[in-house]
mmCIF file with all atom_site columns, all heavy atoms in Angstrom:
data_model
loop_
_atom_site.group_PDB
_atom_site.id
_atom_site.type_symbol
_atom_site.label_atom_id
_atom_site.label_alt_id
_atom_site.label_comp_id
_atom_site.label_asym_id
_atom_site.label_entity_id
_atom_site.label_seq_id
_atom_site.pdbx_PDB_ins_code
_atom_site.Cartn_x
_atom_site.Cartn_y
_atom_site.Cartn_z
_atom_site.occupancy
_atom_site.B_iso_or_equiv
_atom_site.pdbx_formal_charge
_atom_site.auth_seq_id
_atom_site.auth_comp_id
_atom_site.auth_asym_id
_atom_site.auth_atom_id
_atom_site.pdbx_PDB_model_num
ATOM 1   N N   . VAL A 1 1  ? -3.111  35.239 -19.365 1.00 98.00 ? 6  VAL A N   1
ATOM 2   C CA  . VAL A 1 1  ? -3.449  34.197 -20.319 1.00 98.00 ? 6  VAL A CA  1
ATOM 3   C C   . VAL A 1 1  ? -4.958  34.199 -20.607 1.00 98.00 ? 6  VAL A C   1
ATOM 4   O O   . VAL A 1 1  ? -5.388  34.282 -21.753 1.00 98.00 ? 6  VAL A O   1
ATOM 5   C CB  . VAL A 1 1  ? -3.029  32.809 -19.796 1.00 98.00 ? 6  VAL A CB  1
ATOM 6   C CG1 . VAL A 1 1  ? -3.479  31.711 -20.745 1.00 98.00 ? 6  VAL A CG1 1
ATOM 7   C CG2 . VAL A 1 1  ? -1.524  32.758 -19.574 1.00 98.00 ? 6  VAL A CG2 1
ATOM 8   N N   . ALA A 1 2  ? -5.762  34.086 -19.548 1.00 98.00 ? 7  ALA A N   1
ATOM 9   C CA  . ALA A 1 2  ? -7.209  33.978 -19.727 1.00 98.00 ? 7  ALA A CA  1
ATOM 10  C C   . ALA A 1 2  ? -7.896  34.367 -18.430 1.00 98.00 ? 7  ALA A C   1
ATOM 11  O O   . ALA A 1 2  ? -7.281  34.326 -17.361 1.00 98.00 ? 7  ALA A O   1
ATOM 12  C CB  . ALA A 1 2  ? -7.603  32.559 -20.121 1.00 98.00 ? 7  ALA A CB  1
ATOM 13  N N   . ALA A 1 3  ? -9.176  34.722 -18.538 1.00 98.00 ? 8  ALA A N   1
ATOM 14  C CA  . ALA A 1 3  ? -9.937  35.071 -17.346 1.00 98.00 ? 8  ALA A CA  1
ATOM 15  C C   . ALA A 1 3  ? -11.399 34.728 -17.530 1.00 98.00 ? 8  ALA A C   1
ATOM 16  O O   . ALA A 1 3  ? -11.927 34.759 -18.648 1.00 98.00 ? 8  ALA A O   1
ATOM 17  C CB  . ALA A 1 3  ? -9.788  36.551 -17.006 1.00 98.00 ? 8  ALA A CB  1
ATOM 18  N N   . SER A 1 4  ? -12.027 34.432 -16.392 1.00 98.00 ? 9  SER A N   1
ATOM 19  C CA  . SER A 1 4  ? -13.455 34.167 -16.341 1.00 98.00 ? 9  SER A CA  1
ATOM 20  C C   . SER A 1 4  ? -14.072 35.206 -15.414 1.00 98.00 ? 9  SER A C   1
ATOM 21  O O   . SER A 1 4  ? -13.742 35.251 -14.227 1.00 98.00 ? 9  SER A O   1
ATOM 22  C CB  . SER A 1 4  ? -13.700 32.753 -15.804 1.00 98.00 ? 9  SER A CB  1
ATOM 23  O OG  . SER A 1 4  ? -15.079 32.557 -15.543 1.00 98.00 ? 9  SER A OG  1
ATOM 24  N N   . LYS A 1 5  ? -14.924 36.030 -15.964 1.00 97.00 ? 10 LYS A N   1
ATOM 25  C CA  . LYS A 1 5  ? -15.539 37.106 -15.190 1.00 97.00 ? 10 LYS A CA  1
ATOM 26  C C   . LYS A 1 5  ? -16.532 36.536 -14.195 1.00 97.00 ? 10 LYS A C   1
ATOM 27  O O   . LYS A 1 5  ? -17.181 35.517 -14.431 1.00 97.00 ? 10 LYS A O   1
ATOM 28  C CB  . LYS A 1 5  ? -16.225 38.096 -16.134 1.00 97.00 ? 10 LYS A CB  1
ATOM 29  C CG  . LYS A 1 5  ? -16.780 39.342 -15.494 1.00 97.00 ? 10 LYS A CG  1
ATOM 30  C CD  . LYS A 1 5  ? -15.690 40.302 -15.108 1.00 97.00 ? 10 LYS A CD  1
ATOM 31  C CE  . LYS A 1 5  ? -16.265 41.663 -14.730 1.00 97.00 ? 10 LYS A CE  1
ATOM 32  N NZ  . LYS A 1 5  ? -17.193 41.604 -13.600 1.00 97.00 ? 10 LYS A NZ  1
ATOM 33  N N   . SER A 1 6  ? -16.704 37.229 -13.071 1.00 95.00 ? 11 SER A N   1
ATOM 34  C CA  . SER A 1 6  ? -17.629 36.802 -12.029 1.00 95.00 ? 11 SER A CA  1
ATOM 35  C C   . SER A 1 6  ? -19.085 36.846 -12.480 1.00 95.00 ? 11 SER A C   1
ATOM 36  O O   . SER A 1 6  ? -19.415 37.451 -13.504 1.00 95.00 ? 11 SER A O   1
ATOM 37  C CB  . SER A 1 6  ? -17.469 37.705 -10.811 1.00 95.00 ? 11 SER A CB  1
ATOM 38  O OG  . SER A 1 6  ? -17.749 39.048 -11.174 1.00 95.00 ? 11 SER A OG  1
ATOM 39  N N   . ASN A 1 7  ? -19.927 36.164 -11.718 1.00 91.00 ? 12 ASN A N   1
ATOM 40  C CA  . ASN A 1 7  ? -21.382 36.219 -11.888 1.00 91.00 ? 12 ASN A CA  1
ATOM 41  C C   . ASN A 1 7  ? -21.834 35.897 -13.311 1.00 91.00 ? 12 ASN A C   1
ATOM 42  O O   . ASN A 1 7  ? -22.650 36.627 -13.894 1.00 91.00 ? 12 ASN A O   1
ATOM 43  C CB  . ASN A 1 7  ? -21.911 37.588 -11.453 1.00 91.00 ? 12 ASN A CB  1
ATOM 44  C CG  . ASN A 1 7  ? -21.672 37.846 -9.982  1.00 91.00 ? 12 ASN A CG  1
ATOM 45  O OD1 . ASN A 1 7  ? -21.854 36.958 -9.141  1.00 91.00 ? 12 ASN A OD1 1
ATOM 46  N ND2 . ASN A 1 7  ? -21.239 39.047 -9.653  1.00 91.00 ? 12 ASN A ND2 1
ATOM 47  N N   . GLY A 1 8  ? -21.273 34.846 -13.849 1.00 84.00 ? 13 GLY A N   1
ATOM 48  C CA  . GLY A 1 8  ? -21.685 34.397 -15.169 1.00 84.00 ? 13 GLY A CA  1
ATOM 49  C C   . GLY A 1 8  ? -21.219 35.260 -16.305 1.00 84.00 ? 13 GLY A C   1
ATOM 50  O O   . GLY A 1 8  ? -21.773 35.202 -17.409 1.00 84.00 ? 13 GLY A O   1
ATOM 51  N N   . GLY A 1 9  ? -20.223 36.048 -16.056 1.00 84.00 ? 14 GLY A N   1
ATOM 52  C CA  . GLY A 1 9  ? -19.703 36.937 -17.089 1.00 84.00 ? 14 GLY A CA  1
ATOM 53  C C   . GLY A 1 9  ? -18.901 36.203 -18.146 1.00 84.00 ? 14 GLY A C   1
ATOM 54  O O   . GLY A 1 9  ? -18.764 34.982 -18.131 1.00 84.00 ? 14 GLY A O   1
ATOM 55  N N   . SER A 1 10 ? -18.372 36.964 -19.038 1.00 93.00 ? 15 SER A N   1
ATOM 56  C CA  . SER A 1 10 ? -17.696 36.408 -20.206 1.00 93.00 ? 15 SER A CA  1
ATOM 57  C C   . SER A 1 10 ? -16.285 35.921 -19.874 1.00 93.00 ? 15 SER A C   1
ATOM 58  O O   . SER A 1 10 ? -15.781 36.108 -18.776 1.00 93.00 ? 15 SER A O   1
ATOM 59  C CB  . SER A 1 10 ? -17.627 37.473 -21.302 1.00 93.00 ? 15 SER A CB  1
ATOM 60  O OG  . SER A 1 10 ? -18.904 37.873 -21.709 1.00 93.00 ? 15 SER A OG  1
ATOM 61  N N   . THR A 1 11 ? -15.698 35.286 -20.880 1.00 97.00 ? 16 THR A N   1
ATOM 62  C CA  . THR A 1 11 ? -14.323 34.831 -20.792 1.00 97.00 ? 16 THR A CA  1
ATOM 63  C C   . THR A 1 11 ? -13.451 35.659 -21.722 1.00 97.00 ? 16 THR A C   1
ATOM 64  O O   . THR A 1 11 ? -13.943 36.201 -22.731 1.00 97.00 ? 16 THR A O   1
ATOM 65  C CB  . THR A 1 11 ? -14.211 33.353 -21.160 1.00 97.00 ? 16 THR A CB  1
ATOM 66  O OG1 . THR A 1 11 ? -14.772 33.152 -22.470 1.00 97.00 ? 16 THR A OG1 1
ATOM 67  C CG2 . THR A 1 11 ? -14.981 32.486 -20.170 1.00 97.00 ? 16 THR A CG2 1
ATOM 68  N N   . TYR A 1 12 ? -12.185 35.739 -21.363 1.00 97.00 ? 17 TYR A N   1
ATOM 69  C CA  . TYR A 1 12 ? -11.252 36.581 -22.103 1.00 97.00 ? 17 TYR A CA  1
ATOM 70  C C   . TYR A 1 12 ? -9.922  35.855 -22.242 1.00 97.00 ? 17 TYR A C   1
ATOM 71  O O   . TYR A 1 12 ? -9.523  35.098 -21.360 1.00 97.00 ? 17 TYR A O   1
ATOM 72  C CB  . TYR A 1 12 ? -11.063 37.915 -21.374 1.00 97.00 ? 17 TYR A CB  1
ATOM 73  C CG  . TYR A 1 12 ? -12.359 38.652 -21.181 1.00 97.00 ? 17 TYR A CG  1
ATOM 74  C CD1 . TYR A 1 12 ? -13.158 38.401 -20.074 1.00 97.00 ? 17 TYR A CD1 1
ATOM 75  C CD2 . TYR A 1 12 ? -12.800 39.578 -22.123 1.00 97.00 ? 17 TYR A CD2 1
ATOM 76  C CE1 . TYR A 1 12 ? -14.369 39.041 -19.911 1.00 97.00 ? 17 TYR A CE1 1
ATOM 77  C CE2 . TYR A 1 12 ? -14.010 40.227 -21.962 1.00 97.00 ? 17 TYR A CE2 1
ATOM 78  C CZ  . TYR A 1 12 ? -14.792 39.956 -20.854 1.00 97.00 ? 17 TYR A CZ  1
ATOM 79  O OH  . TYR A 1 12 ? -15.997 40.589 -20.704 1.00 97.00 ? 17 TYR A OH  1
ATOM 80  N N   . TYR A 1 13 ? -9.261  36.108 -23.376 1.00 98.00 ? 18 TYR A N   1
ATOM 81  C CA  . TYR A 1 13 ? -8.010  35.421 -23.667 1.00 98.00 ? 18 TYR A CA  1
ATOM 82  C C   . TYR A 1 13 ? -6.993  36.386 -24.254 1.00 98.00 ? 18 TYR A C   1
ATOM 83  O O   . TYR A 1 13 ? -7.353  37.322 -24.976 1.00 98.00 ? 18 TYR A O   1
ATOM 84  C CB  . TYR A 1 13 ? -8.243  34.296 -24.682 1.00 98.00 ? 18 TYR A CB  1
ATOM 85  C CG  . TYR A 1 13 ? -9.237  33.262 -24.232 1.00 98.00 ? 18 TYR A CG  1
ATOM 86  C CD1 . TYR A 1 13 ? -10.578 33.399 -24.532 1.00 98.00 ? 18 TYR A CD1 1
ATOM 87  C CD2 . TYR A 1 13 ? -8.824  32.146 -23.502 1.00 98.00 ? 18 TYR A CD2 1
ATOM 88  C CE1 . TYR A 1 13 ? -11.509 32.449 -24.102 1.00 98.00 ? 18 TYR A CE1 1
ATOM 89  C CE2 . TYR A 1 13 ? -9.732  31.196 -23.079 1.00 98.00 ? 18 TYR A CE2 1
ATOM 90  C CZ  . TYR A 1 13 ? -11.076 31.357 -23.381 1.00 98.00 ? 18 TYR A CZ  1
ATOM 91  O OH  . TYR A 1 13 ? -11.991 30.430 -22.958 1.00 98.00 ? 18 TYR A OH  1
ATOM 92  N N   . THR A 1 14 ? -5.751  36.125 -23.978 1.00 98.00 ? 19 THR A N   1
ATOM 93  C CA  . THR A 1 14 ? -4.721  36.838 -24.702 1.00 98.00 ? 19 THR A CA  1
ATOM 94  C C   . THR A 1 14 ? -4.670  36.285 -26.124 1.00 98.00 ? 19 THR A C   1
ATOM 95  O O   . THR A 1 14 ? -5.039  35.127 -26.373 1.00 98.00 ? 19 THR A O   1
ATOM 96  C CB  . THR A 1 14 ? -3.358  36.696 -24.003 1.00 98.00 ? 19 THR A CB  1
ATOM 97  O OG1 . THR A 1 14 ? -2.441  37.624 -24.554 1.00 98.00 ? 19 THR A OG1 1
ATOM 98  C CG2 . THR A 1 14 ? -2.805  35.290 -24.136 1.00 98.00 ? 19 THR A CG2 1
ATOM 99  N N   . ASP A 1 15 ? -4.247  37.096 -27.053 1.00 98.00 ? 20 ASP A N   1
ATOM 100 C CA  . ASP A 1 15 ? -4.330  36.724 -28.474 1.00 98.00 ? 20 ASP A CA  1
ATOM 101 C C   . ASP A 1 15 ? -3.584  35.420 -28.795 1.00 98.00 ? 20 ASP A C   1
ATOM 102 O O   . ASP A 1 15 ? -4.032  34.633 -29.635 1.00 98.00 ? 20 ASP A O   1
ATOM 103 C CB  . ASP A 1 15 ? -3.774  37.850 -29.341 1.00 98.00 ? 20 ASP A CB  1
ATOM 104 C CG  . ASP A 1 15 ? -4.723  39.030 -29.434 1.00 98.00 ? 20 ASP A CG  1
ATOM 105 O OD1 . ASP A 1 15 ? -5.908  38.877 -29.062 1.00 98.00 ? 20 ASP A OD1 1
ATOM 106 O OD2 . ASP A 1 15 ? -4.276  40.107 -29.877 1.00 98.00 ? 20 ASP A OD2 1
ATOM 107 N N   . SER A 1 16 ? -2.465  35.188 -28.143 1.00 98.00 ? 21 SER A N   1
ATOM 108 C CA  . SER A 1 16 ? -1.635  34.036 -28.502 1.00 98.00 ? 21 SER A CA  1
ATOM 109 C C   . SER A 1 16 ? -2.260  32.692 -28.153 1.00 98.00 ? 21 SER A C   1
ATOM 110 O O   . SER A 1 16 ? -1.795  31.660 -28.634 1.00 98.00 ? 21 SER A O   1
ATOM 111 C CB  . SER A 1 16 ? -0.262  34.160 -27.839 1.00 98.00 ? 21 SER A CB  1
ATOM 112 O OG  . SER A 1 16 ? -0.389  34.124 -26.430 1.00 98.00 ? 21 SER A OG  1
ATOM 113 N N   . VAL A 1 17 ? -3.299  32.691 -27.333 1.00 98.00 ? 22 VAL A N   1
ATOM 114 C CA  . VAL A 1 17 ? -3.912  31.411 -26.950 1.00 98.00 ? 22 VAL A CA  1
ATOM 115 C C   . VAL A 1 17 ? -5.337  31.270 -27.474 1.00 98.00 ? 22 VAL A C   1
ATOM 116 O O   . VAL A 1 17 ? -5.960  30.207 -27.295 1.00 98.00 ? 22 VAL A O   1
ATOM 117 C CB  . VAL A 1 17 ? -3.894  31.204 -25.419 1.00 98.00 ? 22 VAL A CB  1
ATOM 118 C CG1 . VAL A 1 17 ? -2.480  31.390 -24.866 1.00 98.00 ? 22 VAL A CG1 1
ATOM 119 C CG2 . VAL A 1 17 ? -4.885  32.099 -24.708 1.00 98.00 ? 22 VAL A CG2 1
ATOM 120 N N   . LYS A 1 18 ? -5.856  32.285 -28.098 1.00 98.00 ? 23 LYS A N   1
ATOM 121 C CA  . LYS A 1 18 ? -7.227  32.211 -28.619 1.00 98.00 ? 23 LYS A CA  1
ATOM 122 C C   . LYS A 1 18 ? -7.361  31.071 -29.621 1.00 98.00 ? 23 LYS A C   1
ATOM 123 O O   . LYS A 1 18 ? -6.516  30.891 -30.489 1.00 98.00 ? 23 LYS A O   1
ATOM 124 C CB  . LYS A 1 18 ? -7.611  33.534 -29.286 1.00 98.00 ? 23 LYS A CB  1
ATOM 125 C CG  . LYS A 1 18 ? -7.912  34.648 -28.310 1.00 98.00 ? 23 LYS A CG  1
ATOM 126 C CD  . LYS A 1 18 ? -8.279  35.931 -29.035 1.00 98.00 ? 23 LYS A CD  1
ATOM 127 C CE  . LYS A 1 18 ? -8.562  37.043 -28.030 1.00 98.00 ? 23 LYS A CE  1
ATOM 128 N NZ  . LYS A 1 18 ? -8.840  38.339 -28.706 1.00 98.00 ? 23 LYS A NZ  1
ATOM 129 N N   . GLY A 1 19 ? -8.429  30.305 -29.453 1.00 98.00 ? 24 GLY A N   1
ATOM 130 C CA  . GLY A 1 19 ? -8.653  29.161 -30.327 1.00 98.00 ? 24 GLY A CA  1
ATOM 131 C C   . GLY A 1 19 ? -7.957  27.898 -29.875 1.00 98.00 ? 24 GLY A C   1
ATOM 132 O O   . GLY A 1 19 ? -8.235  26.815 -30.384 1.00 98.00 ? 24 GLY A O   1
ATOM 133 N N   . ARG A 1 20 ? -7.055  28.003 -28.909 1.00 98.00 ? 25 ARG A N   1
ATOM 134 C CA  . ARG A 1 20 ? -6.337  26.829 -28.402 1.00 98.00 ? 25 ARG A CA  1
ATOM 135 C C   . ARG A 1 20 ? -6.661  26.549 -26.927 1.00 98.00 ? 25 ARG A C   1
ATOM 136 O O   . ARG A 1 20 ? -6.719  25.401 -26.519 1.00 98.00 ? 25 ARG A O   1
ATOM 137 C CB  . ARG A 1 20 ? -4.830  27.015 -28.549 1.00 98.00 ? 25 ARG A CB  1
ATOM 138 C CG  . ARG A 1 20 ? -4.364  27.220 -29.970 1.00 98.00 ? 25 ARG A CG  1
ATOM 139 C CD  . ARG A 1 20 ? -2.840  27.191 -30.075 1.00 98.00 ? 25 ARG A CD  1
ATOM 140 N NE  . ARG A 1 20 ? -2.208  28.261 -29.297 1.00 98.00 ? 25 ARG A NE  1
ATOM 141 C CZ  . ARG A 1 20 ? -1.323  28.059 -28.322 1.00 98.00 ? 25 ARG A CZ  1
ATOM 142 N NH1 . ARG A 1 20 ? -0.951  26.836 -27.995 1.00 98.00 ? 25 ARG A NH1 1
ATOM 143 N NH2 . ARG A 1 20 ? -0.784  29.095 -27.687 1.00 98.00 ? 25 ARG A NH2 1
ATOM 144 N N   . PHE A 1 21 ? -6.841  27.591 -26.147 1.00 98.00 ? 26 PHE A N   1
ATOM 145 C CA  . PHE A 1 21 ? -7.108  27.452 -24.713 1.00 98.00 ? 26 PHE A CA  1
ATOM 146 C C   . PHE A 1 21 ? -8.561  27.798 -24.431 1.00 98.00 ? 26 PHE A C   1
ATOM 147 O O   . PHE A 1 21 ? -9.142  28.688 -25.077 1.00 98.00 ? 26 PHE A O   1
ATOM 148 C CB  . PHE A 1 21 ? -6.231  28.394 -23.899 1.00 98.00 ? 26 PHE A CB  1
ATOM 149 C CG  . PHE A 1 21 ? -4.770  28.044 -23.872 1.00 98.00 ? 26 PHE A CG  1
ATOM 150 C CD1 . PHE A 1 21 ? -4.211  27.114 -24.718 1.00 98.00 ? 26 PHE A CD1 1
ATOM 151 C CD2 . PHE A 1 21 ? -3.931  28.681 -22.956 1.00 98.00 ? 26 PHE A CD2 1
ATOM 152 C CE1 . PHE A 1 21 ? -2.864  26.811 -24.677 1.00 98.00 ? 26 PHE A CE1 1
ATOM 153 C CE2 . PHE A 1 21 ? -2.576  28.384 -22.901 1.00 98.00 ? 26 PHE A CE2 1
ATOM 154 C CZ  . PHE A 1 21 ? -2.046  27.461 -23.782 1.00 98.00 ? 26 PHE A CZ  1
ATOM 155 N N   . THR A 1 22 ? -9.135  27.126 -23.450 1.00 98.00 ? 27 THR A N   1
ATOM 156 C CA  . THR A 1 22 ? -10.503 27.404 -23.023 1.00 98.00 ? 27 THR A CA  1
ATOM 157 C C   . THR A 1 22 ? -10.556 27.459 -21.502 1.00 98.00 ? 27 THR A C   1
ATOM 158 O O   . THR A 1 22 ? -10.124 26.503 -20.841 1.00 98.00 ? 27 THR A O   1
ATOM 159 C CB  . THR A 1 22 ? -11.481 26.337 -23.520 1.00 98.00 ? 27 THR A CB  1
ATOM 160 O OG1 . THR A 1 22 ? -11.417 26.249 -24.951 1.00 98.00 ? 27 THR A OG1 1
ATOM 161 C CG2 . THR A 1 22 ? -12.905 26.683 -23.105 1.00 98.00 ? 27 THR A CG2 1
ATOM 162 N N   . ILE A 1 23 ? -11.064 28.551 -20.983 1.00 98.00 ? 28 ILE A N   1
ATOM 163 C CA  . ILE A 1 23 ? -11.256 28.668 -19.542 1.00 98.00 ? 28 ILE A CA  1
ATOM 164 C C   . ILE A 1 23 ? -12.717 28.376 -19.222 1.00 98.00 ? 28 ILE A C   1
ATOM 165 O O   . ILE A 1 23 ? -13.625 28.815 -19.951 1.00 98.00 ? 28 ILE A O   1
ATOM 166 C CB  . ILE A 1 23 ? -10.832 30.068 -19.024 1.00 98.00 ? 28 ILE A CB  1
ATOM 167 C CG1 . ILE A 1 23 ? -10.872 30.107 -17.502 1.00 98.00 ? 28 ILE A CG1 1
ATOM 168 C CG2 . ILE A 1 23 ? -11.688 31.166 -19.632 1.00 98.00 ? 28 ILE A CG2 1
ATOM 169 C CD1 . ILE A 1 23 ? -10.250 31.370 -16.910 1.00 98.00 ? 28 ILE A CD1 1
ATOM 170 N N   . SER A 1 24 ? -12.937 27.628 -18.168 1.00 97.00 ? 29 SER A N   1
ATOM 171 C CA  . SER A 1 24 ? -14.296 27.312 -17.737 1.00 97.00 ? 29 SER A CA  1
ATOM 172 C C   . SER A 1 24 ? -14.305 27.201 -16.219 1.00 97.00 ? 29 SER A C   1
ATOM 173 O O   . SER A 1 24 ? -13.236 27.150 -15.590 1.00 97.00 ? 29 SER A O   1
ATOM 174 C CB  . SER A 1 24 ? -14.779 26.003 -18.381 1.00 97.00 ? 29 SER A CB  1
ATOM 175 O OG  . SER A 1 24 ? -13.965 24.918 -17.984 1.00 97.00 ? 29 SER A OG  1
ATOM 176 N N   . ARG A 1 25 ? -15.493 27.163 -15.668 1.00 97.00 ? 30 ARG A N   1
ATOM 177 C CA  . ARG A 1 25 ? -15.559 27.089 -14.210 1.00 97.00 ? 30 ARG A CA  1
ATOM 178 C C   . ARG A 1 25 ? -16.721 26.228 -13.766 1.00 97.00 ? 30 ARG A C   1
ATOM 179 O O   . ARG A 1 25 ? -17.739 26.131 -14.456 1.00 97.00 ? 30 ARG A O   1
ATOM 180 C CB  . ARG A 1 25 ? -15.646 28.496 -13.606 1.00 97.00 ? 30 ARG A CB  1
ATOM 181 C CG  . ARG A 1 25 ? -16.875 29.281 -13.998 1.00 97.00 ? 30 ARG A CG  1
ATOM 182 C CD  . ARG A 1 25 ? -16.701 30.758 -13.658 1.00 97.00 ? 30 ARG A CD  1
ATOM 183 N NE  . ARG A 1 25 ? -16.560 30.993 -12.228 1.00 97.00 ? 30 ARG A NE  1
ATOM 184 C CZ  . ARG A 1 25 ? -16.034 32.108 -11.697 1.00 97.00 ? 30 ARG A CZ  1
ATOM 185 N NH1 . ARG A 1 25 ? -15.603 33.076 -12.481 1.00 97.00 ? 30 ARG A NH1 1
ATOM 186 N NH2 . ARG A 1 25 ? -15.959 32.245 -10.383 1.00 97.00 ? 30 ARG A NH2 1
ATOM 187 N N   . ASP A 1 26 ? -16.540 25.616 -12.606 1.00 97.00 ? 31 ASP A N   1
ATOM 188 C CA  . ASP A 1 26 ? -17.594 24.856 -11.935 1.00 97.00 ? 31 ASP A CA  1
ATOM 189 C C   . ASP A 1 26 ? -17.756 25.497 -10.561 1.00 97.00 ? 31 ASP A C   1
ATOM 190 O O   . ASP A 1 26 ? -16.991 25.194 -9.640  1.00 97.00 ? 31 ASP A O   1
ATOM 191 C CB  . ASP A 1 26 ? -17.205 23.384 -11.832 1.00 97.00 ? 31 ASP A CB  1
ATOM 192 C CG  . ASP A 1 26 ? -18.305 22.521 -11.246 1.00 97.00 ? 31 ASP A CG  1
ATOM 193 O OD1 . ASP A 1 26 ? -19.198 23.076 -10.561 1.00 97.00 ? 31 ASP A OD1 1
ATOM 194 O OD2 . ASP A 1 26 ? -18.277 21.304 -11.431 1.00 97.00 ? 31 ASP A OD2 1
ATOM 195 N N   . ASN A 1 27 ? -18.722 26.376 -10.443 1.00 97.00 ? 32 ASN A N   1
ATOM 196 C CA  . ASN A 1 27 ? -18.877 27.121 -9.196  1.00 97.00 ? 32 ASN A CA  1
ATOM 197 C C   . ASN A 1 27 ? -19.242 26.217 -8.021  1.00 97.00 ? 32 ASN A C   1
ATOM 198 O O   . ASN A 1 27 ? -18.895 26.517 -6.873  1.00 97.00 ? 32 ASN A O   1
ATOM 199 C CB  . ASN A 1 27 ? -19.922 28.221 -9.365  1.00 97.00 ? 32 ASN A CB  1
ATOM 200 C CG  . ASN A 1 27 ? -19.436 29.338 -10.264 1.00 97.00 ? 32 ASN A CG  1
ATOM 201 O OD1 . ASN A 1 27 ? -18.245 29.661 -10.297 1.00 97.00 ? 32 ASN A OD1 1
ATOM 202 N ND2 . ASN A 1 27 ? -20.353 29.927 -11.014 1.00 97.00 ? 32 ASN A ND2 1
#
């Protein structure tokens, strides 16, 4: 569905959720 890369890296989404889902993190 989605991923958050380590060490402040980028986020990635599968096409079907782009624009609707947001991944974020609080380290």
Side-chain angles (χ1 to χ4, degrees):
V6 176
S9 171
K10 186 74 168 60
S11 60
N12 297 318
S15 299
T16 56
Y17 302 87
Y18 301 91
T19 193
D20 286 346
S21 63
V22 307
K23 285 180 181 176
R25 300 189 298 122
F26 290 12
T27 303
I28 187 170
S29 62
R30 62 195 297 161
D31 185 339
N32 290 327

